[in-house]
Every structure is written in structure tokens, then in C-alpha cells.
Amino acid sequence: MINLKNIFYQYSKNDNWALQEINLSIFPGEWVAIVGSNGSGKSTLAKLMNGLLIPTRGEIHFFGRNPCNENDLWEIRRMVGIVFQNPDSQIVGNTIEDDIAFSLENIGVPPVEIDKRLTEVMDQFQLYPLKNQSPHTLSPGQKQKLAIAGVLAMKPKAVIFDEASSMQSPKDAQELYRMMSDLHQQGTTIVQITHEMEDLYGCERIIVLQDGMVKLEGKPGEILANTIMMKEAGLIPPFAVRIRDSLMESGYDEIRNAITPDQLVKQICISALKT
Ligand SMILES: Nc1ncnc2c1ncn2[C@@H]1O[C@H](COP(=O)(O)OP(=O)(O)O)[C@@H](O)[C@H]1O
Ligand SMILES: [Mg+2]
């Protein structure tokens, strides 16, 4: 669905490459995570993946559409929604209702259809009673919901979450994660961008970025078990993996394959029963 072929990106002529030699495909309905330390190129990649940035070199296609073609660009932005880390950066309307309506007007949705979609998403995100309120009166969690409501109202095929939970309370972050999971269940393609390795147990594939390049790509089981690689890429392995590593250092080799908290607990119980 999103196809990147030998992509290079540079913010200006004298800058270093923010991204180099990126070859990736995101498939319909997939839940992919893109991870990497600060400055590794995640947000640049996110913006290329919804047409906010155009590659300096290389080709990118969205269902066969090309962002270099002005006519395709709006359709691409409608098909691929993006939710940023700071919800304030996405607020454009004076009221909650206007804020969601604005993005729909922008892509040419007819007024009757706008009303229908507004009601739907405001209901879904419990924003209906607040519809005439200014978005700036909302809590950070509610603002993030508004941003997501605005994106979902466009009925996108894919949604990119660029560190969307990093400014949220643990409770709101958990709710956001559940939302990603529900969207994925309903068939929406999810691109989850994070530097937080604890959040990756739900995704189907992990792409690791380092210095603007793809360092590694694989199933969560493979990537999360690879402590050495995660550390090289400037990432902190998940808590369960760090415990596994400490236990292995103490000689508990049978724990090698336990990388989720559940697997870890199960393996510890099995080992304890044996002794
Ligand atoms: N607007 C910009 N102008 C110039 N350089 C930028 C800009 N945004 C990001 N960069 C540079 O591009 C590289 C990748 O940044 P970014 O994509 O934001 O990484 P991440 O999201 O992984 O933290 C970094 O070296 C960063 O300094
Ligand atoms: Mg970023």
C-alpha cells in the first residue's frame, strides 16, 4: 500500500541526509512499528509516508498514487492520517466541532456527509457534549482524542501515530494503545512510531531506524529478543527482556525465549517447579 523505493531525504542542501536508502513496504491492514532513538529519522519518515514531505531522491507510491503529482497529494493525505506527539500542533478550529469539520471541508466532503461524520466521531470519542467548547479547554488526553477524531473522520486507510502517547498520562497512553488495537482489528493499517520499547507487543512487524537508515526489520519476537542490537540502536530493551538478560547472566539459560511479561512469569514458574 505504501511503497518506498531507495528514498533519501535532506531538509536543505547543506544538511546531512535525514534519511538514506530507505526501501520499505507497508502492507494493507498491517500494524507496523517504527522505532529508533531521538534524531534517527522517525518523524521525517512519518511525514514522507503521508505526503507532508516529498523525497529528495527515490520514489514513494501510495496505492499507485505519486505525491509528486499535485492531484494525488490530497488523496494521499486523506488516505494516510497522522497523529503527532503534541496534540496542540494539530488544533485548527475555534470549537471542537469546527476543528473536526475543517479537515473534512479541506478534502471536499459534502456538507451533509460532514454532519454525519461529525456526529459519528464525536460520539465515539465522547466529545459531543463538548462540541461548542474551545479545543484549548481540553485536557491533554482529550486533545489527543480530538486529533484522532479529526483523522478518523477522514476515513483513512492508514493512520500513523508519531510518538502519540509520549505526552500523555499512563492511563491516556493505555487508552490510545487500545484504540490502535481496535483500529487494527477493524482493518485499518497502523504505523506506530515510538522510541519506547515497552509498547511493541501488539504490532506485527518492527522496523528499527538508526542514523536515518533501516538497521533491522523483523517480527517483535526476533527484534525484542536482540538486546545487543537494541542497545546499538540507542534503545532500551523492554523491562521483561532486561529481567530475562539478568536471569540468563545468573545461569538461567532456559529463560532465553521469554520476552513478554507473561512468558517470563510462566518460564520462571516452570523453572521453579523443576528445582
Ligand atoms: N525541520 C528540520 N530542519 C532541519 N533538520 C531537521 C528538521 N527536522 C528534523 N531534522 C533533522 O533530521 C534528522 C531526523 O530527525 P527526525 O526525523 O525528527 O528524527 P526522530 O523523529 O527519530 O527524532 C535529525 O538529524 C534532525 O536534526
Ligand atoms: Mg520524532
Side-chain angles (χ1 to χ4, degrees):
M1 118 168 235
I2 309 178
N3 232 309
L4 297 98
K5 229 164 109 189
N6 212 17
I7 294 289
F8 285 68
Y9 187 82
Q10 185 176 42
Y11 279 90
S12 68
K13 272 218 164 86
N14 299 323
D15 283 340
N16 291 330
W17 292 110
L19 290 174
Q20 291 184 67
E21 233 186 303
I22 305 284
N23 288 290
L24 282 179
S25 291
I26 311 289
F27 301 102
E30 218 188 352
W31 181 348
V32 188
I34 297 175
V35 303
S37 62
N38 223 347
S40 58
K42 303 182 296 296
S43 295
T44 307
L45 186 55
K47 287 174 191 156
L48 283 163
M49 287 203 289
N50 94 327
L52 280 173
L53 296 176
I54 303 293
T56 311
R57 275 200 227 153
E59 276 181 39
I60 180 161
H61 286 101
F62 303 78
F63 283 109
R65 289 175 190 266
N66 186 340
C68 293
N69 180 345
E70 191 74 19
N71 289 336
D72 284 356
L73 201 54
W74 280 109
E75 183 56 18
I76 289 168
R77 291 194 189 147
R78 193 198 64 74
M79 286 196 296
V80 187
I82 186 162
V83 180
F84 294 103
Q85 176 176 27
N86 182 356
D88 284 314
S89 68
Q90 279 184 288
I91 293 174
V92 286
N94 290 327
T95 67
I96 286 162
E97 190 172 30
D98 282 353
D99 195 76
I100 303 173
F102 185 76
S103 50
L104 298 178
E105 282 162 11
N106 243 346
I107 57 165
V109 178
V112 179
E113 176 68 14
I114 291 184
D115 284 346
K116 190 170 150 257
R117 291 200 201 172
L118 273 174
T119 311
E120 259 171 38
V121 292
M122 285 194 296
D123 259 353
Q124 186 185 347
F125 292 94
Q126 295 98 42
L127 292 167
Y128 201 83
L130 313 173
K131 67 178 185 163
N132 296 318
Q133 230 167 279
S134 157
H136 295 285
T137 60
L138 299 177
S139 71
Q142 285 172 318
K143 279 183 191 167
Q144 195 59 288
K145 275 188 187 171
L146 174 62
I148 297 170
V151 166
L152 295 190
M154 296 206 267
K155 300 200 181 291
K157 290 185 192 296
V159 182
I160 303 169
F161 293 88
D162 186 2
E163 310 242 17
S165 62
S166 62
M167 288 175 73
Q168 302 290 313
S169 68
K171 185 173 158 282
D172 288 333
Q174 224 171 28
E175 198 176 335
L176 187 72
Y177 191 77
R178 249 199 321 273
M179 228 180 282
M180 270 189 226
S181 183
D182 289 348
L183 275 173
H184 173 243
Q185 295 271 318
Q186 290 155 21
T188 307
T189 307
I190 305 289
V191 180
Q192 175 194 5
I193 295 183
T194 181
H195 65 268
E196 181 53 82
M197 302 300 279
E198 302 294 342
D199 295 344
L200 301 176
Y201 290 116
C203 71
E204 294 161 327
R205 183 157 61 110
I206 299 177
I207 295 162
V208 183
L209 285 187
Q210 188 180 356
D211 300 327
M213 287 183 274
V214 175
K215 179 177 172 71
L216 204 69
E217 189 182 338
K219 290 200 161 63
E222 296 158 19
I223 305 284
L224 296 177
N226 194 340
T227 311
I228 295 172
M229 178 285 306
M230 278 186 274
K231 287 185 177 161
E232 274 173 11
L235 298 163
I236 301 169
F239 184 63
V241 173
R242 281 181 277 146
I243 304 237
R244 175 204 70 164
D245 291 351
S246 306
L247 287 169
M248 278 173 65
E249 270 174 31
S250 312
Y252 289 96
D253 203 52
E254 65 269 32
I255 212 132
R256 174 172 298 280
N257 295 321
I259 55 157
T260 70
D262 284 352
Q263 289 166 353
L264 192 68
V265 169
K266 198 169 157 195
Q267 191 56 55
I268 290 172
C269 292
I270 292 171
S271 302
L273 285 173
K274 273 193 200 154
T275 53

